[in-house]
Amino acid sequence: MSRILTGIQSTGTPHLGNILGAIIPAIKMANGSQNESYLFIADMHSITQIKDPKELKFNTYSTAACWLAFGLDYSKTVFYRQSDVPQVTELSWYLNCYFPYQRLTLAHSFKDKADSLEDVNAGLFTYPMLMAADILLYDADIVPVGKDQLQHIEITRNVAGRFNNLNGNTLIIPESKINESTMLINGTDGNKMSKSKNNVINIFLEETLLKKQISGIKTDSLPLEASKDWKNCNLFNMYKLLADENQIEIMKKNYEQGGYGYGHAKNDMLNLILTRYSVEREKYTYYMNNLDEIDSILKNGAELASKTANTVLNRVRLKVGFN
Ligand code: ADP
Ligand code: TRP
């Protein structure tokens, strides 16, 4: 049996792109897997960017509520908050001392962030060491990640290899597994949906706010009576992702025959989201109104995670020369 582990950055409420591209497939995999799975919210990584404690907390809760609303089975997956198992920072320190400074300066993600962010702190620089500790602390075998995280997994393998070479086999060298999501969800402006681009659909919003987001979906400006081209319409493409065959056929006909404006299509899109995700919206709202329940689920996960963490950390301390 392998141990699969991955971390989720908690930089905001997950949007439709995150949900369709990453969350639903990951939950299917975790719930159906015979392997052990660990899933955590990387809130210690988030503080490299987010300095407002309220925002940080909210993001953790809304990310957890979203995963729970979409059916993550927390009796099968060890689901926890990174900061609830602070042993990770101790391991991260050891790893820092076993990895050359020069190699960290070559990390793409640091260079990208250093170019675009104002707050270029040391945490951002040593981010890959904390991520390596996230993985190595739990003896993970397989780490599913997006392509942009591959270099971090290579760094993790490298630092674990260096530690093992000096001290004898101590850390498990993990393999990455690329999330080849075939889905690329476009946002309201027709470009890839992304938190940073202000083009997201947040399916959990209260109805009037959701309506506002949907009304921002860009279309051409053909009048109501005109026949419209569904093949090249961003709004239609988004609708198609969520609708069933029958609904898609009806929408195509409406576009072609005219007398159906983009306002109507947006209204149909709103109703589709409200009905298709009514259960998830309800569950999300339930969890966001019962944060103590989220806390208790995550604390439970952290207790289980801590057991593994302590075993591995003791192994490492001994090799370092402590204990
Ligand atoms: P964002 O670009 O909004 O900051 P992240 O980089 O945090 O999103 O992505 C988290 C996960 O969601 C990743 O696995 C990523 O592949 C997936 N994802 C993000 N945006 C999309 C999208 N527009 N379509 C499909 N999947 C997406
Ligand atoms: N850095 C990852 C991201 O931005 C999140 C993450 C933190 C992670 N620690 C991890 C992913 C450990 C996998 C394993 O998406």
Side-chain angles (χ1 to χ4, degrees), residues 5-7 40 45 82 88 92 95 126-137 143 145 149-153 156:
L5 171 144
T6 198
F40 67 92
H45 279 110
Q82 183 186 29
V88 74
S92 154
L95 299 177
T126 58
Y127 183 113
M129 292 291 100
L130 182 58
M131 180 156 164
D134 286 330
I135 297 168
L136 301 172
L137 188 62
V143 186
V145 281
Q149 296 297 314
L150 265 191
Q151 194 185 32
H152 288 153
I153 308 299
T156 303

Side-chain angles (χ1 to χ4, degrees), residues 9 15 17-18 21-22 179 183-185 192-195:
Q9 250 195 341
H15 53 69
N18 298 141
N179 288 335
M183 284 219 170
L184 178 68
I185 315 300
K192 184 188 169 203
M193 192 180 290
S194 174
K195 267 164 261 169

Side-chain angles (χ1 to χ4, degrees), residues 251-281:
M251 174 86 82
K252 275 185 190 168
K253 274 209 189 101
N254 282 335
Y255 265 61
E256 282 165 5
Q257 75 195 7
Y260 179 81
Y262 291 118
H264 295 122
K266 286 177 179 176
N267 218 19
D268 286 343
M269 177 77 192
L270 173 67
N271 288 328
L272 179 63
I273 293 182
L274 293 177
T275 46
R276 168 91 197 246
Y277 292 128
S278 66
V279 173
E280 289 80 1
R281 283 170 55 85

